[in-house]
């Protein structure tokens, strides 16, 4: 019954057939039947999330996508299933980053009593039993049609700690430096004094830039085993997602990475070396916080005509912020590399060019031929001017000039 109802939804043939199936599955007159239906739906959800993992999806991504297309209740039910799925594996066989994602979802669904899930979910989410069943069936259909993505790591049950630790060391991620960078950026985001924020951000940029250059030089030494390029996916949330994607592109390029945006899913796949990917993620996250703070600070302004700032103002603000970030990346990247080259006495151009070549090859292998699209230009002069001013005080991690297309 569950499979037939989901088939009908996927094929666009829900209608009365779905209502009849949901009503039958929601029937609670018999305790045995009610428990069996609840267990069947939970089993189907567990199979559905496992199938999503086999297609490259990760926990936070799956829950986020369900929220985008179906809403918060469905996302919470998906988080329940993801949490229950994690409990099926020995902790040592699950990538710690995977476990962190699941725990961050803070799902509250029971994982040891699937026969009681429908009753519990009805109470937890304020739904009738029929509504819980219908929501579960629609969630199953949503999970079934998730498109395949690039695998970013081992699925639950396939993780091997020793092998992963060796790969982590080879990637050259200095967790101590990364923690210092995060602490500096957190202070930069929270301070009310622009000069202090700029100084803290500059220090964070310096740490990340130097760590990347040092790692590139180490990998270039004769006899060194160079790590392979890796990938991370970062969400790019609406509103103004196309301009935020441009911002991520600028940060990625500055860190010797490439960002590929899937606008339909609202995800950017960033490809590069692990240390650089970590830098991109923390810096982009910090920039978004600073961008949101700046927009709130300027959001109540009025334009030259006395009208309150609207969507066109904010679009222009974000567009200018991203554009100004790119301009600053050009000058700052050149300065950072010139300083490192003078200190080490090494020509960094061929070293960094080789890393970039390997990243380009990884992108080509993963995505094939890519298309490029122009974003809409700004339409509000005040928003543009204020966005550029906000970008001048923002935290940027810069490594090299952004290439012209």
């Amino acid at each position: 019954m569950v499979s037939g109802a989901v088939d009908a939804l996927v094929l666009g043939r829900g209608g009365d057939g779905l209502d009849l199936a949901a009503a039958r599955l929601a029937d609670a007159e018999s305790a045995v039947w009610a428990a069996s239906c609840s267990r069947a739906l939970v089993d189907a959800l567990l199979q559905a999330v496992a199938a999503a993992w086999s297609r490259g999806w990760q926990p936070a991504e799956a829950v986020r996508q369900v929220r985008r297309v179906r809403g918060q209740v469905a996302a919470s039910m998906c988080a329940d299933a993801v949490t229950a799925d994690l409990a099926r594996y020995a902790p040592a066989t699950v990538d710690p980053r995977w476990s962190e994602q699941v725990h961050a979802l803070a799902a509250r669904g029971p994982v040891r009593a699937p026969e009681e899930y429908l009753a519990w979910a009805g109470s937890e989410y304020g739904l009738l039993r029929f509504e819980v069943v219908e929501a579960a069936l629609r969630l199953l259909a949503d999970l079934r049609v998730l498109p395949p993505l690039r695998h970013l790591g081992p699925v639950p049950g396939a993780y091997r700690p020793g092998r992963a630790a060796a790969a982590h060391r080879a990637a050259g991620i200095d967790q101590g430096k990364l923690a210092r960078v995060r602490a500096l950026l957190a202070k930069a985001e929270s301070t009310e004094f622009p000069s202090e924020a700029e100084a803290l951000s500059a220090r964070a940029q310096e740490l990340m830039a130097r760590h990347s250059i040092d790692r590139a030089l180490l990998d270039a030494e004769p006899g060194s085993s160079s790590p392979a390029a890796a990938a991370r996916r970062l969400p790019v949330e609406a509103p103004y997602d196309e301009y935020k994607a441009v911002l991520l592109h600028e940060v990625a390029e500055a860190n010797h990475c490439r960002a590929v945006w899937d606008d339909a899913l609202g995800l950017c796949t960033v490809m590069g070396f692990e240390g650089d990917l970590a830098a991109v993620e923390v810096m982009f996250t910090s920039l978004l916080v600073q961008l949101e703070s700046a927009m709130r600070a300027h959001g109540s302004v009025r334009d030259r005509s006395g009208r309150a700032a609207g969507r066109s103002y904010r679009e222009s603000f974000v567009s200018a912020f991203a554009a100004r970030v790119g301009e600053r990346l050009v000058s700052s990247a050149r300065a950072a590399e010139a300083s490192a080259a003078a200190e080490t006495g090494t020509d960094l151009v061929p070293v960094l060019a080789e890393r970039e070549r390997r990243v380009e090859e990884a992108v080509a292998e993963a995505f094939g031929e890519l298309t490029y699209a122009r974003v809409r230009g700004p339409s509000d002069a005040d928003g543009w001017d204020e966005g550029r001013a906000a970008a001048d005080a923002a935290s940027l991690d810069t490594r090299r000039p952004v290439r012209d297309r």
Side-chain angles (χ1 to χ4, degrees):
M1 291 180 67
V2 171
S3 179
V6 174
D7 288 344
L9 282 169
V10 170
L11 296 173
R13 301 172 183 169
D16 294 339
L18 172 65
D19 291 340
L20 290 172
R24 185 73 181 101
L25 290 166
D27 186 355
E29 278 194 37
S30 165
V32 174
W33 172 257
S36 296
C37 291
S38 182
R39 190 161 41 244
L41 282 165
V42 170
D43 288 346
L45 286 168
L46 291 174
Q47 293 174 24
V49 295
W53 310 156
S54 70
R55 297 199 300 278
W57 285 78
Q58 297 196 340
E61 296 169 346
V63 173
R64 173 181 177 268
Q65 180 63 11
V66 169
R67 183 182 295 108
R68 280 162 51 89
V69 301
R70 193 63 60 189
Q72 183 56 49
V73 170
S76 297
M77 294 179 68
C78 184
D80 295 340
V82 169
T83 302
D85 174 72
L86 181 65
R88 299 194 292 176
Y89 302 95
T93 67
V94 180
D95 189 328
R97 293 172 296 183
W98 188 283
S99 299
E100 288 173 7
Q101 283 192 40
V102 176
H103 295 320
L105 297 174
R108 294 166 292 178
V111 297
R112 295 184 180 178
E115 66 276 3
E116 299 174 3
Y117 180 72
L118 290 181
W120 177 90
S123 174
E124 180 68 20
Y125 303 125
L127 301 175
L128 300 174
R129 189 180 181 89
F130 173 86
E131 294 173 321
V132 176
V133 171
E134 183 180 17
L137 293 173
R138 294 190 182 279
L139 170 58
L140 286 166
D142 293 335
L143 291 171
R144 184 183 293 184
V145 299
L146 290 177
L149 298 176
R150 176 186 174 84
H151 284 272
L152 299 184
V155 298
Y159 176 76
R160 298 296 178 266
R163 189 185 312 161
H168 197 68
R169 287 192 297 270
I173 300 177
D174 188 323
Q175 294 298 325
K177 287 184 178 179
L178 194 58
R180 291 172 62 193
V181 166
R182 287 195 176 106
L184 288 167
L185 291 176
K187 291 181 180 178
E189 295 159 15
S190 61
T191 182
E192 298 178 0
F193 303 101
S195 59
E196 181 183 11
E198 188 171 354
L200 291 165
S201 299
R203 179 56 180 157
Q205 294 169 38
E206 179 185 345
L207 283 173
M208 289 189 293
R210 188 51 194 262
H211 175 58
S212 178
I213 292 171
D214 289 346
R215 188 64 208 182
L217 291 172
L218 183 63
D219 291 341
E221 291 182 355
S224 297
S225 57
S226 298
R232 295 190 186 189
R233 278 192 296 271
L234 302 180
V236 180
E237 304 289 0
Y240 323 120
D241 48 349
E242 60 181 340
Y243 302 113
K244 292 176 183 176
V246 171
L247 176 62
L248 177 54
H249 164 79
E250 301 288 4
V251 177
E253 291 276 317
N255 287 275
H256 308 298
C257 298
R258 285 287 307 276
V260 180
W261 185 35
D262 187 326
D263 57 343
L265 297 177
L267 292 171
C268 260
T269 301
V270 184
M271 301 197 71
F273 294 93
E274 281 290 355
D276 296 331
L277 292 175
V280 170
E281 184 170 5
V282 297
M283 189 57 67
F284 178 61
T285 302
S286 178
L287 281 170
L288 287 180
V289 173
Q290 296 181 60
L291 172 60
E292 294 295 336
S293 297
M295 287 186 68
R296 284 195 299 271
H298 295 279
S300 60
V301 303
R302 294 180 177 272
D303 63 19
R304 295 186 180 92
S305 302
R307 293 172 298 187
R311 182 176 180 86
S312 62
Y313 171 92
R314 293 180 175 82
E315 285 182 342
S316 299
F317 188 102
V318 182
S319 176
F321 188 94
R324 180 55 181 154
V325 162
E327 293 173 4
R328 288 185 61 196
L329 288 173
V330 173
S331 59
S332 298
R334 288 173 179 165
E337 291 172 12
S339 176
E343 183 177 338
T344 62
T346 303
D347 184 2
L348 293 176
V349 173
V351 174
L352 298 179
E354 173 60 18
R355 289 171 73 86
E356 291 162 13
R357 182 191 65 80
R358 290 166 60 194
V359 171
E360 294 287 352
E361 289 180 351
V363 172
E365 180 183 353
F367 296 101
E369 185 175 352
L370 297 171
T371 59
Y372 293 83
R374 295 181 179 274
V375 299
R376 292 170 294 172
S379 58
D380 188 294
D382 293 330
W384 177 265
D385 292 339
E386 294 291 351
R388 286 181 65 86
D392 280 331
S395 167
L396 301 173
D397 182 17
T398 56
R399 309 285 179 81
R400 68 177 173 86
V402 177
R403 297 171 299 175
D404 294 329
R405 288 193 179 86

